[in-house]
Amino acid sequence: MVERETQGRRPRRRGAGARIVAAPAAPSRARLVNPFKPVEILSQDSIEAIHEASMQILEEIGLRVLDDEGRALYAAAGAAVDEATQTVRLDRGLVLAAIARAPSRLTLRACNPARDVAIGGDAVAFVTVGGTPYVSDLEHGRRPGSLAAFEDLMRLAQSFDVIHMLGPASEPVELPVDERHLAFTHSQLLLTDKVPFVYSRGRQAIAESFDMIALAHGLDEEGFAREPRCYTIVNSNSPLQLDSLMLQGIIEFARRGQLMILTPFTLAGAMAPVTLAGALAQQNAEALAGIALAQIVRPGAPVAYGGFTSNVDMKSGAPAFGTPEYVKAAFASGQLARRYGLPWRSSNVNACNAPDAQAAYESQMSLWGALMGGCNVLMHGAGWLEGGLTASFEKFILDVEMLQMFAEIFRPVVCDADSLALDAIREVGPGGHFFGAAHTLARYESAFYAPLVSDWRNFEAWSEAGAPDAARRAHNVYKRTLAAYQAPEIDPARRAALDDYVARARRGAA
Amino acid sequence: MVERETQGRRPRRRGAGARIVAAPAAPSRARLVNPFKPVEILSQDSIEAIHEASMQILEEIGLRVLDDEGRALYAAAGAAVDEATQTVRLDRGLVLAAIARAPSRLTLRACNPARDVAIGGDAVAFVTVGGTPYVSDLEHGRRPGSLAAFEDLMRLAQSFDVIHMLGPASEPVELPVDERHLAFTHSQLLLTDKVPFVYSRGRQAIAESFDMIALAHGLDEEGFAREPRCYTIVNSNSPLQLDSLMLQGIIEFARRGQLMILTPFTLAGAMAPVTLAGALAQQNAEALAGIALAQIVRPGAPVAYGGFTSNVDMKSGAPAFGTPEYVKAAFASGQLARRYGLPWRSSNVNACNAPDAQAAYESQMSLWGALMGGCNVLMHGAGWLEGGLTASFEKFILDVEMLQMFAEIFRPVVCDADSLALDAIREVGPGGHFFGAAHTLARYESAFYAPLVSDWRNFEAWSEAGAPDAARRAHNVYKRTLAAYQAPEIDPARRAALDDYVARARRGAA
């Protein structure tokens, strides 16, 4: 379901052959609404200055577009294309008219309707880590990603209701690249009932992934394309370049009405200017150019504006995340996305090598930047470490703790007569205590957030228990969670169809 | 300097015998202004409901006031005093008229004028940890506090310009209680040139501390009282009780025009109702009652509204900090303080036993709650661990890193033509990189925040270096900082006067 901000929410429709799924009681964190007014770090004048600079970039410098069909589509829409340099210059009239067709709100349909995800407005969705070549845990250390590790990350994603969508987690590096999408999609659809991720790794991989998602939903091609049921991330090759795979992603996702999140990789000082304003202007130009292409392909195609601007360590050139500059860029990116009426994607990122205090404070900086900035889709919400090189199982659990805390912060503070508790205060009186008060006893079991990892024992009890640090406790939670994991139900016929599809596609690929 | 919000800032005056101090170039973090509009978690109706409930508490239930002079002062101002139960009931007219006299902005004068601290409005001041019985570091583990440890914490406080005021750090438990204030004040005045803390531990200790601060400033009694030059924290004995030492603190600080921060210790579920609204209503009643007494003693006395509401672990009764409930209470406390035109004090707190990921994420939650809530004085800004039982040297450094990051987040994003960097983007062009661009080279050395602890080396380089975690790196920074510490200059005559005062007071105490 895709709609402009101004339209009301339409009643949802379902295909006749709706999938048979268990319908669990809606978990309390399954749908989150952010009650806070987004931070405005930039004045309206500054936002307009960045807008103006990005329009000048698109009009005067242009983008290098490394795909024939992409350039042809831009040209047909009225862009000035220089085939010799593969450069596309976009007039602001063209860009702004195109992005005005993008929906500001949409709903991603999951196989389990209880897992549908609202995107845009004040809705916020949390996503797992994505795209790491390595995985790590305290037991086995850091090692290349594998399908087994990917599947364990999917099991964790399924186990926590605060995770709303699946990210591409870690790479199954033992699989041939042209088969990975089959395993990726198969595992996501069988181990979870949440909205899956599809890589933009070429037309065939995209088409096959779509086929499989349609099978899991029990839909034909037309039924699949009626609503968004998966999403992809398209990164521009900053500065100002879109490669062929990325362009195929923009085009195919738009054609089939699936969500495409355009995220420029604008690291200030490396792939973007060293100044935040310049990096944001370039981010804005790249994001709007890609989103405009999606709208050229299919007006109303579901898209989101990705902000990933951070800075590099100027001593080494290494990317840094969760820095002060990152937080400021996040706030500003939210303002930019809202200026164009687009949902905004941000991230929970850090540049730390271990799940320690640095990982936590850099992640928290990213999280507050995203969530006080009004982010709608939080990528890398759980598990990201080492600037995205590693998916850490302990960090996954630490992040789930933090995300659950935010879910609780989002819940309103009730201020009725009952919660103002005058009678309890009168009953206890000066110098008393509330432990035994009736008002306390009636509420204490559910009054406060119950932590997953945080250890509030006193120092002596904690020391006697071996002084386990937060990473060690997260390790235990991750092991416990995997042991208790239960696969979602799936119609056996659909499961068989998926297995069969993968087997046939593998033979075709081999 | 003390003024109501509506007045302009007056030019500052100095006594003729101003202290001879080195005048370093103003460090960039010495004065921080928070540019963000404070978060409003409560509707205006909810704020008024909490206000109304707190007025009912003061009018109908009242406070137990465990000090004869305190009750007499309340009675003389028109309160209903029941001497049999030591209960004081305060009419809202009395309370609101009294707190209306409190300044909404003031300036704390340090011995070094470059260290003066603005309190209120959009100014924010960071303070060290305070009041811990234990200290810890990775080398010696956790041990009882000592004067040596206190002095090392003061040396750290002096070494970082992001620390604006001194907290009481750790207790020197080897000293007799009735002498600790002498050592406390002496060390603060000689090891730092920042605004000192004075405990409210009885009339004599307060008076002697004031005498010493006056000596350090080279001022007589009258000159000392002309402006606030130190501060104290008064905690009510929640629920609804003020003990004799706390009352003496309120009275003596008001009489001498020094800053008193009234902070109720309202842990929801223990010393306050289990519901946030109830805990906040009680916090508000206690804070306003104490602040009203200060204004009864001396209209215009410098005060601040302390918010410390958190929750307990309902399984054990242990206090928890940096929880979702804590964050919400912080946002709400800021709104309440602003409703009365009072500066707001919050804290950087956690309930963790080690400087690990939990300590960092709980601290970050507290920090964002305080700073997005518009806090003016951040107590326990650096070093607090274990719910305030321990001052950790490594946590001190980790906190300084986080505070420095906030100082950077507070700096405006410049959006002029130069920072929008169109020429650089044109020069680099699609597919290039910015490392060598003239725009980058002219700025890279100071473009980004340079971290103190964060380690952005790649995994291999970090592993070869022994894979030091953030706590270990913080340990190294703390040792390096102490080795490089330099004491501020002080007039030898004033130093001698302070030494002499302490010697005489010790003989008097012995």
Side-chain angles (χ1 to χ4, degrees):
Chain A
M1 188 164 69
V2 175
E3 52 196 346
R4 283 300 292 178
E5 190 81 59
T6 45
Q7 297 177 2
R9 297 225 173 192
R10 278 171 287 177
R12 58 186 297 186
R13 287 170 302 174
R14 280 270 161 202
R19 183 180 172 197
I20 299 157
V21 288
S28 63
R29 302 180 188 104
R31 288 197 174 78
L32 297 183
V33 166
N34 183 339
F36 299 111
K37 191 176 176 308
V39 167
E40 298 195 345
I41 194 170
L42 296 181
S43 67
Q44 207 49 47
D45 284 353
S46 291
I47 288 288
E48 291 313 305
I50 291 172
H51 167 75
E52 175 63 30
S54 65
M55 292 298 116
Q56 281 184 258
I57 292 169
L58 292 177
E59 290 174 340
E60 297 167 19
I61 306 171
L63 263 77
R64 190 176 292 151
V65 175
L66 302 175
D67 180 82
D68 293 346
E69 187 183 14
R71 286 195 304 282
L73 285 163
Y74 276 124
V81 175
D82 178 343
E83 282 293 332
T85 60
Q86 303 180 304
T87 301
V88 173
R89 289 186 180 76
L90 295 161
D91 179 81
R92 70 184 66 196
L94 189 168
V95 173
L96 295 176
I99 62 171
R101 298 184 200 112
S104 49
R105 288 168 180 269
L106 56 109
T107 300
L108 286 166
R109 298 298 184 200
C111 284
N112 175 353
R115 309 294 196 189
D116 285 357
V117 179
I119 307 283
D122 52 9
V124 54
F126 296 150
V127 191
T128 67
V129 64
T132 70
Y134 297 94
V135 296
S136 73
D137 73 353
L138 292 185
E139 192 177 357
H140 302 292
R142 182 184 189 254
R143 56 200 188 276
S146 64
L147 185 60
F150 175 82
E151 293 192 335
D152 276 348
L153 289 164
M154 290 300 106
R155 291 184 182 99
L156 292 183
Q158 177 68 9
S159 302
F160 295 103
D161 64 355
V162 82
I163 301 292
H164 304 105
M165 293 161 63
L166 308 173
S170 58
E171 277 294 305
V173 296
E174 78 274 32
L175 299 181
V177 171
D178 63 355
E179 283 189 19
R180 285 185 196 168
H181 65 283
L182 300 171
F184 257 132
T185 311
H186 191 258
S187 296
Q188 290 181 83
L189 292 171
L190 291 183
L191 297 175
T192 87
D193 56 7
K194 301 188 179 184
V195 171
F197 174 88
V198 172
Y199 266 118
S200 286
R201 288 184 176 168
R203 288 202 167 77
Q204 186 183 341
I206 293 171
E208 290 179 349
S209 302
F210 286 173
D211 286 349
M212 292 172 70
I213 296 164
L215 284 176
H217 279 268
L219 294 168
D220 61 14
E221 201 165 315
E222 193 194 338
F224 170 77
R226 208 176 290 129
E227 297 186 275
R229 303 167 198 284
C230 63
Y231 76 106
T232 195
I233 302 288
V234 164
N235 293 122
S236 42
N237 310 111
S238 308
L240 299 174
Q241 190 164 274
L242 284 164
D243 73 21
S244 182
L245 291 180
M246 295 294 102
L247 285 154
Q248 289 173 29
I250 295 172
I251 295 165
E252 296 307 319
F253 271 72
R255 281 196 177 128
R256 306 293 298 279
Q258 305 302 305
L259 174 62
M260 185 278 296
I261 304 178
L262 196 313
T263 309
F265 197 53
T266 35
L267 287 178
M271 296 89 106
V274 75
T275 45
L276 271 191
L280 288 164
Q282 187 187 310
Q283 168 189 292
N284 202 53
E286 296 178 9
L288 296 187
I291 289 169
L293 179 58
Q295 303 307 318
I296 288 166
V297 171
R298 171 168 153 168
V303 291
Y305 180 112
F308 203 72
T309 296
S310 192
N311 56 301
V312 295
D313 177 1
M314 290 311 291
K315 279 181 288 192
S316 66
F321 295 103
T323 60
E325 294 77 18
Y326 179 91
V327 173
K328 290 153 93 164
F331 289 152
S333 296
Q335 287 182 271
L336 287 165
R338 287 188 295 278
R339 186 201 182 283
Y340 305 108
L342 297 169
W344 171 46
R345 166 258 158 120
S346 191
S347 311
N348 170 14
V349 285
N350 68 86
C352 190
N353 289 305
D356 65 5
Q358 179 190 334
Y361 68 67
E362 288 184 340
S363 264
Q364 280 274 313
M365 287 284 181
S366 303
L367 283 166
W368 281 96
L371 298 174
M372 293 313 289
C375 137
N376 300 114
V377 180
L378 183 85
M379 294 298 296
H380 310 303
W384 161 296
L385 211 58
E386 248 189 82
L389 289 177
T390 293
S392 154
F393 285 92
E394 289 82 17
K395 181 64 164 37
F396 192 110
I397 301 297
L398 291 167
D399 285 332
V400 165
E401 175 87 307
M402 296 190 238
L403 297 178
Q404 291 186 164
M405 290 170 82
F406 277 103
E408 188 62 37
I409 291 169
F410 290 164
R411 288 154 59 104
V413 179
V414 179
C415 278
D416 57 11
D418 194 52
S419 14
L420 285 164
L422 269 182
D423 289 344
I425 295 171
R426 194 174 281 114
E427 174 195 334
V428 170
H433 70 78
F434 288 80
F435 283 121
H439 186 263
T440 308
L441 293 174
R443 288 165 186 79
Y444 81 97
E445 282 186 341
S446 61
F448 307 129
Y449 170 67
L452 195 61
V453 177
S454 295
D455 188 334
W456 296 334
R457 285 177 292 186
N458 65 31
F459 185 83
E460 291 71 21
W462 173 76
S463 298
E464 276 162 31
D469 71 5
R472 170 58 54 188
R473 298 192 306 270
H475 180 84
N476 298 340
V477 173
Y478 126 65
K479 289 289 190 183
R480 258 201 330 264
T481 306
L482 283 186
Y485 163 80
Q486 289 196 304
E489 287 181 42
I490 181 168
D491 178 305
R494 290 186 193 173
R495 182 186 181 110
L498 279 169
D499 292 347
D500 181 57
Y501 187 95
V502 170
R504 280 187 294 115
R506 280 224 179 92
R507 281 196 299 274
Chain B
M1 189 165 71
V2 174
E3 53 197 344
R4 284 300 292 181
E5 191 84 57
T6 45
Q7 298 177 3
R9 297 224 172 192
R10 278 170 289 173
R12 60 186 297 189
R13 286 170 300 172
R14 281 268 160 203
R19 184 180 170 195
I20 299 158
V21 288
S28 63
R29 303 182 187 104
R31 289 198 173 75
L32 297 183
V33 166
N34 183 340
F36 301 111
K37 191 176 174 309
V39 168
E40 298 194 347
I41 194 170
L42 296 182
S43 67
Q44 207 49 47
D45 284 353
S46 291
I47 287 288
E48 292 313 307
I50 290 172
H51 166 74
E52 176 63 30
S54 65
M55 292 298 116
Q56 282 184 260
I57 291 169
L58 292 177
E59 291 174 339
E60 297 167 20
I61 306 171
L63 263 76
R64 190 175 294 152
V65 176
L66 303 174
D67 181 81
D68 294 344
E69 186 182 13
R71 287 195 305 282
L73 285 162
Y74 276 123
V81 175
D82 178 343
E83 282 293 332
T85 60
Q86 301 180 303
T87 302
V88 172
R89 289 187 179 79
L90 295 160
D91 178 80
R92 71 184 65 197
L94 189 168
V95 173
L96 296 175
I99 62 172
R101 298 184 199 112
S104 50
R105 288 167 180 269
L106 56 108
T107 300
L108 285 166
R109 298 296 183 198
C111 282
N112 176 353
R115 309 294 196 187
D116 285 357
V117 180
I119 306 282
D122 53 9
V124 54
F126 296 151
V127 190
T128 67
V129 63
T132 70
Y134 297 94
V135 295
S136 74
D137 72 354
L138 294 185
E139 192 178 357
H140 301 292
R142 181 184 190 256
R143 56 200 188 275
S146 63
L147 184 59
F150 175 81
E151 293 192 336
D152 276 348
L153 289 163
M154 290 301 105
R155 291 185 182 100
L156 292 182
Q158 176 68 7
S159 302
F160 295 103
D161 64 355
V162 82
I163 302 292
H164 305 104
M165 293 161 61
L166 308 174
S170 59
E171 278 293 306
V173 297
E174 78 274 31
L175 300 182
V177 172
D178 63 356
E179 282 188 21
R180 286 185 195 166
H181 65 284
L182 300 171
F184 256 132
T185 311
H186 189 259
S187 296
Q188 291 181 83
L189 293 171
L190 291 184
L191 297 175
T192 87
D193 55 6
K194 301 189 179 183
V195 171
F197 174 88
V198 172
Y199 266 119
S200 285
R201 289 185 175 167
R203 287 203 167 77
Q204 185 183 341
I206 293 171
E208 290 179 347
S209 302
F210 285 174
D211 285 348
M212 292 171 69
I213 296 165
L215 284 177
H217 279 268
L219 292 169
D220 61 13
E221 200 167 315
E222 193 194 337
F224 170 78
R226 207 176 291 129
E227 297 187 276
R229 303 168 196 282
C230 62
Y231 75 107
T232 195
I233 303 288
V234 163
N235 293 124
S236 43
N237 311 111
S238 307
L240 299 175
Q241 190 163 276
L242 284 165
D243 72 21
S244 181
L245 290 180
M246 295 294 101
L247 285 154
Q248 289 173 30
I250 296 173
I251 294 166
E252 295 307 318
F253 272 72
R255 281 196 176 126
R256 306 290 299 277
Q258 305 303 305
L259 173 61
M260 185 278 295
I261 304 178
L262 196 312
T263 309
F265 197 53
T266 36
L267 287 178
M271 295 88 106
V274 75
T275 45
L276 272 192
L280 288 164
Q282 187 188 310
Q283 168 189 292
N284 203 53
E286 295 177 9
L288 296 187
I291 289 169
L293 179 57
Q295 302 307 318
I296 288 167
V297 171
R298 171 168 155 167
V303 292
Y305 180 112
F308 204 72
T309 296
S310 191
N311 56 303
V312 295
D313 177 2
M314 291 312 291
K315 281 182 287 193
S316 67
F321 295 102
T323 61
E325 294 77 17
Y326 179 90
V327 173
K328 291 153 93 163
F331 288 153
S333 297
Q335 287 183 270
L336 287 165
R338 286 188 295 279
R339 185 201 182 284
Y340 305 108
L342 297 169
W344 171 46
R345 167 257 158 120
S346 191
S347 313
N348 170 13
V349 285
N350 68 86
C352 190
N353 289 305
D356 66 6
Q358 178 190 335
Y361 68 66
E362 289 184 339
S363 264
Q364 280 274 313
M365 287 285 181
S366 303
L367 283 166
W368 281 96
L371 298 174
M372 294 313 289
C375 135
N376 301 112
V377 180
L378 183 84
M379 293 299 295
H380 310 302
W384 161 296
L385 212 60
E386 246 189 83
L389 290 178
T390 293
S392 154
F393 285 91
E394 288 82 16
K395 181 64 166 33
F396 192 108
I397 300 297
L398 291 167
D399 285 331
V400 165
E401 176 87 307
M402 297 191 238
L403 296 178
Q404 291 187 164
M405 291 170 81
F406 277 103
E408 188 63 36
I409 291 170
F410 290 164
R411 288 153 62 104
V413 179
V414 179
C415 278
D416 57 13
D418 193 53
S419 10
L420 285 164
L422 269 182
D423 289 344
I425 295 171
R426 194 174 281 115
E427 173 195 334
V428 170
H433 69 77
F434 289 78
F435 284 121
H439 186 264
T440 308
L441 292 174
R443 288 164 185 78
Y444 81 97
E445 284 186 339
S446 61
F448 307 130
Y449 170 67
L452 195 61
V453 177
S454 295
D455 188 335
W456 298 334
R457 286 177 291 186
N458 66 31
F459 184 83
E460 292 71 21
W462 172 77
S463 298
E464 277 162 31
D469 70 6
R472 171 56 56 188
R473 299 192 306 272
H475 180 83
N476 298 341
V477 173
Y478 125 64
K479 288 290 189 181
R480 259 202 328 265
T481 306
L482 283 186
Y485 163 80
Q486 289 195 304
E489 286 181 42
I490 181 167
D491 178 304
R494 290 185 192 173
R495 182 187 183 110
L498 280 169
D499 292 346
D500 181 57
Y501 188 94
V502 170
R504 280 187 292 117
R506 280 224 177 93
R507 281 196 300 274

